[in-house]
Amino acid sequence: MPHHTFKHAVWHEEESAEEYNFRKFLPKNEKMQNWIDKSKNPSVNILHTHTVERGKESIWGSLIYRQSAKSEDSREVFHFYLSRDVFVTSAIDFEKDADLEKEEILRQMEEANSSVEVMMIILGEMVASILHKIDSFEERLHDLLWAIKEKNNKKTLEKIENVRHEILLWKHLIMGFQEIEMAIEETFGKNVTEEVEYQRTAVRIGRCVMLVNSYEDEVNNMVDIENVVANYRGNEIMKTLTVLTTLFTPIMAWGALWGMNFENMPELKWQFGYVGALLVILASTFFLYLYLKRKGWMGDILQSIGKNVSRKD
C-alpha cells in the first residue's frame, strides 16, 4: 500500500491492521497485541491512549465509520495508530463511498502541519460523508412528518420506528468521532486544538451532533403525536360503543321482559300491545338520549359522525 508523504507529515496506509507492514510501526508490547487481536471484527469502537512519557504520547484504536441500517454485520472499520512521529492506518475504501474523494483529501493533506492534522482531515471527511447521507435522511423525515397528519396508521408507526433506529445508529457513529476528538486533545495537549484542521473537524462533528439530536427530538415528538392520536381514537371508539350500548339498553330490557314465557302475561292479549310496546321502547330510548345529551356525553360523538358524513359527501 502507498505511503503518502506531505510537507510536515507521513501517512502510512496499509491493507489491514493484522498485516506485518502495519504492525511494524507499532510499539512492541502486550497492549498493542491485544488491540490487534480484538480489532479483527469489532462490533464496538476501540480507543486507547498513552500519555506516560512526554514527547512520546500516542493514541490508537478502531473506529466504525460506516454502518448499514439493514444488517448488523455490514460495517466498515478504520484502524489507526497516531503519535507525534508515526501515523499508520488501515486502508480506507474510497471507491465504496462517493463522498470520500481520495485525490482531494490528499491535496488537502499537503498543507497539514502535523500527523494530527492529517488524522483530523480523514475524520473530517468521514463526518462530511455522514452529513451527506443525513441530508437524504432528512427528506424521508420530512415526508414522514406529513404522513403522520394524513395517513396515521400502523405502517406510519413502523416507519417512525425504523427512522428512530437509524437515528440511534447515527448517534452511535458520531459518538466514536467525538471520543477521538476529545482523546486527541487529552493526549497531545491544547496546542493541537488551535490547528486549522482540528478546529474544522471539531465544528463539523458538532454540527453533525446537533443535527442528529434535533432529528431525535423530532422523531420523539412524532411518537408523542402518534400516541396522542391513538389514545384519542381509542377513547372515542370506547365512548361511542358505550353510548350506543346505553341507548340500546331499553330495547334489550323490554325485549327481555316481554320475551319471558310466563302463562299470565296480560300484555300478550292486549289489542294494541305490539304498538304499545314499540312506543314504550322508543320513548325510553328517547328520554335516555335526552339525558345523555343534557349531561354533555353525546356532543363529541355527534360532531364526529357529522364530520365523517360530510367527508363522504
Side-chain angles (χ1 to χ4, degrees):
M1 294 295 292
H3 294 182
H4 309 287
T5 303
F6 312 106
K7 292 180 181 179
H8 305 287
V10 177
W11 172 24
H12 303 280
E13 186 186 13
E14 303 299 338
E15 187 63 35
S16 70
E18 300 173 23
E19 292 190 354
Y20 170 77
N21 287 336
F22 185 97
R23 289 184 291 175
K24 72 180 181 181
F25 294 102
L26 309 180
K28 303 297 188 292
N29 56 50
E30 187 176 352
K31 284 185 179 180
M32 291 295 167
Q33 187 58 48
N34 290 336
W35 167 52
I36 295 298
D37 294 339
K38 292 180 180 179
S39 66
K40 291 180 181 179
N41 188 27
S43 57
V44 296
N45 296 317
I46 301 172
L47 185 63
H48 298 283
T49 62
H50 177 78
T51 57
V52 177
E53 300 178 68
R54 286 196 177 181
K56 294 185 178 180
E57 296 91 348
S58 60
I59 177 174
W60 66 93
S62 303
L63 171 69
I64 299 174
Y65 67 95
R66 189 185 296 133
Q67 172 69 64
S68 171
K70 298 180 180 179
S71 174
E72 181 182 357
D73 297 326
S74 180
R75 55 177 173 265
E76 300 292 333
V77 183
F78 174 64
H79 308 288
F80 63 90
Y81 173 84
L82 174 65
S83 67
R84 296 186 185 276
D85 303 320
V86 178
F87 179 46
V88 56
T89 73
S90 60
I92 302 173
D93 192 353
F94 290 95
E95 295 182 359
K96 191 172 183 178
D97 196 331
D99 294 324
L100 296 175
E101 298 184 8
K102 189 170 186 178
E103 295 303 321
E104 291 186 1
I105 294 174
L106 292 176
R107 284 198 299 271
Q108 186 178 355
M109 290 176 177
E110 287 290 345
E111 303 301 324
N113 293 323
S114 65
S115 297
V116 174
E117 276 209 313
V118 174
M119 173 70 168
M120 294 306 293
I121 290 173
I122 294 175
L123 295 180
E125 292 304 315
M126 289 178 176
V127 174
S129 176
I130 293 175
L131 284 170
H132 293 162
K133 293 178 176 63
I134 288 178
D135 289 340
S136 60
F137 172 82
E138 185 177 5
E139 294 179 5
R140 292 193 290 113
L141 194 64
H142 176 270
D143 295 339
L144 184 58
L145 181 63
W146 285 99
I148 290 177
K149 180 179 179 181
E150 299 172 0
K151 300 177 181 179
N152 190 274
N153 51 33
K154 185 178 179 181
K155 290 184 178 179
T156 303
L157 184 59
E158 290 176 354
K159 290 179 180 178
I160 292 176
E161 292 305 316
N162 291 334
V163 166
R164 174 180 273 183
H165 177 255
E166 285 190 55
I167 288 178
L168 290 176
L169 290 179
W170 292 126
K171 292 193 73 171
H172 180 72
L173 287 178
I174 298 302
M175 194 182 302
F177 290 93
Q178 280 185 295
E179 186 181 10
I180 293 176
E181 175 199 339
M182 298 173 67
I184 286 177
E185 180 181 354
E186 172 194 342
T187 304
F188 300 107
K190 280 284 186 181
N191 292 335
V192 299
T193 63
E194 298 174 359
E195 296 178 344
V196 174
E197 297 301 340
Y198 182 94
Q199 293 180 358
R200 179 181 288 121
T201 298
V203 171
R204 191 172 290 171
I205 292 173
R207 180 159 62 97
C208 200
V209 171
M210 180 274 294
L211 286 174
V212 172
N213 288 338
S214 298
Y215 294 151
E216 183 179 33
D217 290 340
E218 284 190 31
V219 172
N220 288 337
N221 289 334
M222 289 182 188
V223 174
D224 292 340
I225 292 173
E226 179 72 21
N227 289 334
V228 169
V229 172
N231 290 334
Y232 175 76
R233 287 181 174 176
N235 292 336
E236 198 174 48
I237 291 170
M238 291 302 298
K239 184 177 179 180
T240 302
L241 292 176
T242 302
V243 169
L244 290 177
T245 302
T246 304
L247 288 175
F248 279 97
T249 298
I251 299 176
M252 293 184 291
W254 291 113
L257 177 64
W258 287 317
M260 296 178 181
N261 295 320
F262 292 113
E263 291 184 3
N264 297 320
M265 291 186 69
E267 298 94 332
L268 297 178
K269 298 179 181 179
W270 290 355
Q271 182 178 359
F272 300 102
Y274 178 72
V275 176
L278 289 178
L279 291 176
V280 169
I281 291 174
L282 291 175
S284 302
T285 303
F286 179 70
F287 284 116
L288 183 59
Y289 167 78
L290 291 179
Y291 174 78
L292 294 176
K293 188 175 181 181
R294 186 177 180 182
K295 287 288 186 179
W297 298 343
M298 296 289 294
D300 292 341
I301 296 175
L302 293 177
Q303 290 176 10
S304 299
I305 294 174
K307 289 179 181 179
N308 292 334
V309 171
S310 63
R311 285 174 184 174
K312 291 179 181 179
D313 293 341

